[in-house]
Amino acid sequence: GWLPTSRSIINTDEQNDFIEVTNQLWDEKITLWQDQTRTLQAGLNANPAYNINARWDTITNMWLRVDSTVFLKYSTGRIISDTTYSWINLANIFLYSTSTSYQYDSAQNLIWRARYRYDLNSLAFIPRSRDTFGYDQNMFQTLSQFESWDNQSQSWNPSLRIDRTPNADGLLFESRISLADFISGELVPSSKLFCPFRRIPSAGKFFHRYG
């Protein structure tokens, strides 16, 4: 028969403003569920909202905080930015760790995401990586581009770019991947994928077939 391995327990209140998620693993030796991690989320409909992550410590039999993330949102619910704070047990405080900013187009598609890490020397967030996305008029994602920050040159270095072309039915027709050449510092074509599908209606449903 089936043997249990893991489970998640989710608790919410009537307003759904507070969520607690506990992850457990099954211990076959003692045939009991053992706590592993827990996430507390509060203010889901507020601004800011936050969560706190903890892990279960088998030595002290207590939940130990790991980190906390604070989310800022638009009125539409889209996240503007999130900032993560790492928990320092010795100091008993949260300290800045990472931050992410998001931008969307008028159709609420994510077009830009930038990640930062907190630098203890300058006491400021410095760039780490960023992602750029593009869409056509039908909201088909035509571009995914990823870059990393080079502290030495103080500039963005490209690492990966994916260009996609749809067919007349709005399905993926071609995908072209470019990877960074570390000698030239530029993106160079790496591979190409063709997906020659077209959509054919039948009995009110759509099926795929090779063109």
Side-chain angles (χ1 to χ4, degrees):
W2 290 96
L3 295 178
T5 56
S6 63
R7 70 177 182 181
S8 296
I9 302 173
I10 303 175
N11 296 318
T12 65
D13 64 9
E14 294 179 355
Q15 289 75 34
N16 203 33
D17 283 339
F18 184 88
I19 294 180
E20 180 180 4
V21 181
T22 302
N23 297 308
Q24 300 175 325
L25 293 178
W26 179 255
D27 191 326
E28 294 184 5
K29 294 182 180 179
I30 60 176
T31 62
L32 289 173
W33 289 103
Q34 298 295 307
D35 290 323
Q36 296 294 311
T37 61
R38 183 173 68 173
T39 299
L40 303 178
Q41 296 180 337
L44 294 181
N45 298 319
N47 201 3
Y50 69 89
N51 64 33
I52 297 176
N53 295 310
R55 64 174 178 84
W56 181 253
D57 182 57
T58 56
I59 298 177
T60 61
N61 287 327
M62 295 176 58
W63 287 107
L64 300 181
R65 292 179 180 179
V66 177
D67 56 43
S68 177
T69 303
V70 177
F71 302 90
L72 296 178
K73 302 178 292 183
Y74 292 104
S75 58
T76 57
R78 290 282 188 173
I79 297 175
I80 301 173
S81 65
D82 61 68
T83 303
T84 299
Y85 303 80
S86 295
W87 177 254
I88 308 301
N89 283 313
L90 293 177
N92 202 37
I93 58 174
F94 281 112
L95 292 180
Y96 285 123
S97 179
T98 62
S99 179
T100 306
S101 297
Y102 307 83
Q103 288 187 8
Y104 307 86
D105 60 18
S106 58
Q108 299 301 305
N109 294 312
L110 178 65
I111 59 174
W112 185 78
R113 177 173 54 206
R115 302 177 185 86
Y116 306 85
R117 65 175 180 84
Y118 194 72
D119 181 54
L120 294 176
N121 293 323
S122 62
L123 298 180
F125 283 105
I126 61 176
R128 187 179 62 175
S129 64
R130 71 177 180 183
D131 312 327
T132 304
F133 307 98
Y135 308 84
D136 63 13
Q137 67 274 12
N138 297 316
M139 291 188 291
F140 178 88
Q141 190 178 72
T142 57
L143 169 68
S144 297
Q145 180 168 294
F146 307 96
E147 300 168 290
S148 59
W149 179 256
D150 185 1
N151 284 323
Q152 185 173 1
S153 63
Q154 291 292 294
S155 63
W156 290 105
N157 285 343
S159 57
L160 172 67
R161 179 186 174 105
I162 304 175
D163 293 279
R164 305 177 186 89
T165 303
N167 60 17
D169 294 313
L171 302 173
L172 178 64
F173 174 73
E174 181 182 274
S175 179
R176 301 175 303 280
I177 299 177
S178 301
L179 296 174
D181 181 271
F182 295 102
I183 297 177
S184 65
E186 298 178 353
L187 289 170
V188 295
S190 172
S191 61
K192 183 185 294 187
L193 173 67
F194 287 101
C195 302
F197 298 109
R198 66 170 176 261
R199 190 178 297 176
I200 299 176
S202 177
K205 297 182 179 180
F206 291 102
F207 299 89
H208 293 108
R209 79 175 184 187
Y210 284 102

